[in-house]
Amino acid sequence: MKEDFSALREGRVNYLLPLVIGVAVLAWAVPADRPGFALIGLLFLLGGIYSVFFFRDPKRKVPSEPGLVVSAADGTIVGVEDFTETPYFSGPCKRVSIFLSIFNVHVNRAPAAGTVREIQYRPGRFLDARLPETSDANEAMNVYLDTEHGPMTVRQISGLVARRIVCRCRIGDRLERGEKFGMIKFGSRTEIYLPPNAEILVKVGDKVKAGEDAISRFT
């Protein structure tokens, strides 16, 4: 992917605006002893600080071992399933589902090296992303990859709080394992669809980091 994705750059309006408003209101209210306005300014300031925290983009050490597939998101594994068919994969597959809370890093990374074959946006609802039904009901972006191990699909799914999916890759882009390609803003779900011969290395309840922790392996 040609564009260098930066979560902080994506979120600058989200945190710069409340920071500026908070500082300005505090500077005006505190000297004049206006406690009500000072509280409002403090709330804006805290909101801006949280947004900086949310849009953090830590470096990750991507494993070099051949055959590994890494997590596409930070969060908690909420589903490991086998499917005979699904709209998001041609034929039988395995699906690993990850829930991202508002405290997780929300940058999405490619699970394996591959070429973007198709990108498909689907409008939908904004249900709690921990629920299995959100997979079919919520707004989503589907990124279809052709890899040396076969086709894979990464699905960015909005959540109860999330209101914007960011996907910066394009059809024909080459993504390396662990490469950043987008994010989901403020709480969400990410799903990875894998070929049926993938050996799953995670279980429900496991905590994973995008681009760093392996979720499956091909031998």
Side-chain angles (χ1 to χ4, degrees), residues 18 56 81 88 113 141 155 212:
R56 67 198 186 279
E81 302 154 284
Y88 316 112
M141 186 77 74
R155 302 191 67 229
E212 189 168 292

Side-chain angles (χ1 to χ4, degrees), residues 132-181:
E133 55 263 36
T134 59
S135 178
D136 297 318
N138 282 20
E139 178 189 55
M141 186 77 74
N142 306 325
V143 179
Y144 298 88
L145 296 172
D146 288 326
T147 79
E148 63 175 318
H149 307 297
M152 296 183 190
T153 304
V154 179
R155 302 191 67 229
Q156 300 171 284
I157 304 172
S158 63
L160 185 65
V161 182
R163 285 297 184 271
R164 187 184 176 203
I165 295 174
V166 177
C167 179
R168 293 304 184 202
C169 61
R170 299 290 181 265
I171 294 174
D173 281 352
R174 170 74 180 181
L175 297 178
E176 299 303 322
R177 179 201 289 172
E179 183 176 353
K180 297 178 288 186
F181 70 87

Side-chain angles (χ1 to χ4, degrees), residues 60-136:
R60 293 290 161 82
K61 185 177 180 180
V62 181
S64 58
E65 180 183 337
L68 289 183
V69 176
V70 297
S71 178
D74 284 36
T76 304
I77 303 293
V78 292
V80 177
E81 302 154 284
D82 291 283
F83 290 90
T84 56
E85 59 179 26
T86 168
Y88 316 112
F89 198 91
S90 178
C93 67
K94 296 182 178 182
R95 182 176 77 182
V96 177
S97 302
I98 303 165
F99 171 70
L100 297 78
S101 78
I102 59 173
F103 300 107
N104 288 125
V105 173
H106 272 57
V107 175
N108 289 127
R109 294 174 178 264
T115 301
V116 179
R117 171 169 44 87
E118 183 181 355
I119 300 173
Q120 182 183 66
Y121 170 75
R122 189 199 68 191
R125 302 172 66 184
F126 298 95
L127 302 176
D128 188 337
R130 289 170 292 188
L131 303 174
E133 55 263 36
T134 59
S135 178
D136 297 318

Side-chain angles (χ1 to χ4, degrees), residues 5-13 15 51-53 55-57 183:
F5 182 87
S6 168
L8 276 176
R9 187 164 60 244
E10 286 290 339
R12 57 190 167 193
V13 173
Y15 61 80
S51 291
V52 173
F53 167 77
F55 288 99
R56 67 198 186 279
D57 192 357
M183 72 180 302

